[in-house]
Amino acid sequence: MAQHKSPQRRPSIHDVASHAGVSAATVSKVLAGVTTVKPENAQRVFDAVEHLGYRVDPLASDMRRAKRRIIGAIMPEFESEFFGQMVTELEGLAEQRGYTLVAASSRESEARETEILARMHDWRVAGVVLAPVRNEHGPAAAFMKSNGMTGVLIDRVLSDDAFDTVSADSAAASAEVARMLVGKGHGHILVIGLAEQAATVRARLEGFRTQALALNPSVRIDVITSEVSVEPLRSSLRDYFARGERPTAVYSLLLKGTLVALSEFRRRDWHCPNDISLVGFDDAEWMQVTWPAIAAVVQPVRQIASEAMTLLFRRIEGAEGPPTARLEPCQVLMRESVGSPGNGPHPGGGDRQQPPLS
Amino acid sequence: MAQHKSPQRRPSIHDVASHAGVSAATVSKVLAGVTTVKPENAQRVFDAVEHLGYRVDPLASDMRRAKRRIIGAIMPEFESEFFGQMVTELEGLAEQRGYTLVAASSRESEARETEILARMHDWRVAGVVLAPVRNEHGPAAAFMKSNGMTGVLIDRVLSDDAFDTVSADSAAASAEVARMLVGKGHGHILVIGLAEQAATVRARLEGFRTQALALNPSVRIDVITSEVSVEPLRSSLRDYFARGERPTAVYSLLLKGTLVALSEFRRRDWHCPNDISLVGFDDAEWMQVTWPAIAAVVQPVRQIASEAMTLLFRRIEGAEGPPTARLEPCQVLMRESVGSPGNGPHPGGGDRQQPPLS
DNA sequence: ATGAAAGCGCTAACAC
DNA sequence: GTGTTAGCGCTTTCAT
């Protein structure tokens, strides 16, 4: 039980040393677990530590070290469940190994991403977990490379020639979605996404398309993507429907797209799954309580986080060898938003017909 | 433009000093913006800095300072939009002032909360923004107090005798919800919440009850809360409905409760707003795209964050005086999940009747 | 087995 | 104005 917690100056290693009647160096050794210290002295040190409520100052301790026990994490945003969980996991994993995690949000900006990275470099972080805004070929990864930083790239990446990468197996998951949709008889499917996240989105798209066409060569797959942000995507989608296109199912390659799709369905008073089916990449808690529940691809957050940290620490400890590119399997959650085409009312070119509600 | 970015040893202040032909102390002064340096020398320093690509090591720099330029942030979780946005805001605000934000999730555990705080104390953070799991009277705040840490308490707090507090004006927002619900003719309303977050939840409950009864003394207000976590709440709610209770509206005092309410409505095939109305504390992006859109109280995240940081830095800079307790106004977003009672089918004790969907 | 000494990279007094 | 001198709190040779 710690006592003497004076709100003022915290005890330093010297206080412990003098209290234990040994030198600071010995205290340091004892606390580092060096076994060559006389047990009796070690015990005195432990007693002094407890008595004074001494705790190592990680900042001072890191000063003398080559690599500081800090891990940087850069996520595109913190607002979604996916990245929120990711940060939580990474934090726990870092803490387990005695490291402090410093997380920052790039707010979907590559410029900010590099600035943050520079700041983390200033801190001499031991390693970085970067979830790039776009993909592994952006300026952030380049910065890390040219500054000899050690890191792991996650999420919107496929593989890299300098860093280990870990991401969800988008292609496989998308193929499974294709199997389900085509299996249910959907012959005209719209896929929506943001193209900037090139690597991942392309993988998702290709995985889907390949599997769908393999199962039914005559299936029609339309694609709407936006280069920039989510609003252009909304307009494109609106135009697409306005010109009378009537797919029986929509597959959104990202969460924001799922939201956009739902809101456009609302505008037109279309209900899932009778009027149209919907599947989205990325699950969220609300998707199982809405009416209808929304089918979704669940990314294995914990596995990605844990694999990323394992690889990262391996590199921090000096592991050599070519970078690895891990793909973690996803789970596809079929829910009520997916039905068979032609089962519901599905009025021809039907536009809005009634006020919303119920 | 920085050059000579050797991936190896980064230039130190001494490298800059010798390159500029001055002492390290002078470099330090120039970089700190001290004006008593000969302009010519200052320029040589800047040149050297640019030439070498020198950047201050914040860790080393903090060593000599009393307060380190680090702010700690502890949130109950990162997975919800509210806390995700909060961290993003806090991070930006800290960065603006040249501070690094270290964020950690207490994962809704008071024990972990204190551990994190202890670790942050080890780092000698200049200040802490704590969003306590329960309220301002928990062990975390006590720890801060007894260790003389400076901090601000946010979100699940009302006021404290040692720390400034900033939170949403739950009571006022709840009163507004009451006005809307009672105004629409609801005479039997169920309020659900988690009681542990005592301070805030009680404020919300009382704000609601007081206003509702003022408007219509005969309104019936049932309350279901759980001490522990969300699952008991679900059971209680299920029991409540199972025993035939049939309020015309539900007001959830927290996001998880809204989710639970929706999923229980689903179980019974009740639709909003025809079968029952719903309003939730805490808005989320999905609430406006689901069918129906869910009415919600929006907390002013940015204002809370900005006010908290302002107060915190004032204290860090040594401001004295009694702690303040700020309440930031919320916005109530009425949406389709709220209707007038008796407008829809609303079958008496009606249990499930049809398969779900549309 | 232990301690003295020398820093890590930087800043703050205090001379000059 | 500027440099010298001392450290911040800790770790790490390297004598002893």
Side-chain angles (χ1 to χ4, degrees), chain A residues 118-263:
Chain A
R119 226 170 305 128
M120 291 188 167
H121 189 211
D122 294 344
W123 275 97
R124 269 75 155 174
V125 296
V128 169
V129 178
L130 169 65
V133 166
R134 184 194 291 263
N135 59 40
E136 58 271 42
H137 307 303
F143 179 95
M144 288 176 60
K145 236 163 282 189
S146 79
N147 286 89
M149 296 176 76
T150 110
V152 178
L153 273 25
I154 66 170
D155 192 43
R156 297 172 187 170
V157 295
L158 286 181
S159 73
D160 188 71
D161 59 2
F163 299 110
D164 297 321
T165 60
V166 187
S167 54
D169 193 345
S170 299
S174 295
E176 190 172 344
V177 172
R179 233 171 285 131
M180 287 177 156
L181 253 24
V182 174
K184 287 205 178 248
H186 290 275
H188 181 187
I189 304 172
L190 171 66
V191 180
I192 62 177
L194 287 185
E196 346 184 47
Q197 311 162 7
T200 324
V201 166
R202 196 168 314 138
R204 292 176 192 176
L205 184 52
E206 285 319 310
F208 182 84
R209 197 203 301 271
T210 305
Q211 179 66 266
L213 290 173
L215 292 173
N216 173 6
S218 70
V219 70
R220 175 174 160 201
I221 299 177
D222 295 338
V223 177
I224 297 182
T225 58
S226 151
E227 268 317 310
V228 223
S229 67
V230 81
E231 280 316 313
L233 182 64
R234 182 189 302 277
S235 321
S236 305
L237 187 58
R238 192 169 296 181
D239 292 350
Y240 173 84
F241 287 139
R243 87 173 82 97
E245 296 291 355
R246 214 50 185 80
T248 59
V250 172
Y251 176 35
S252 164
L253 303 182
L254 77 174
L255 185 61
K256 301 242 174 207
T258 310
L259 256 9
V260 167
L262 277 171
S263 86

Side-chain angles (χ1 to χ4, degrees), chain A residues 23 25-26 29 36-38 41 63-64:
Chain A
S23 77
T26 303
K29 280 169 190 152
T36 63
V37 177
K38 197 188 333 180
N41 279 341
M63 276 294 288
R64 285 287 286 151

Side-chain angles (χ1 to χ4, degrees), chain B residues 333-354:
Chain B
L333 255 35
M334 263 309 141
R335 292 199 276 234
E336 302 154 1
S337 65
V338 173
S340 295
N343 254 12
H346 198 140
D351 230 321
R352 46 187 59 220
Q353 42 201 57
Q354 288 168 343

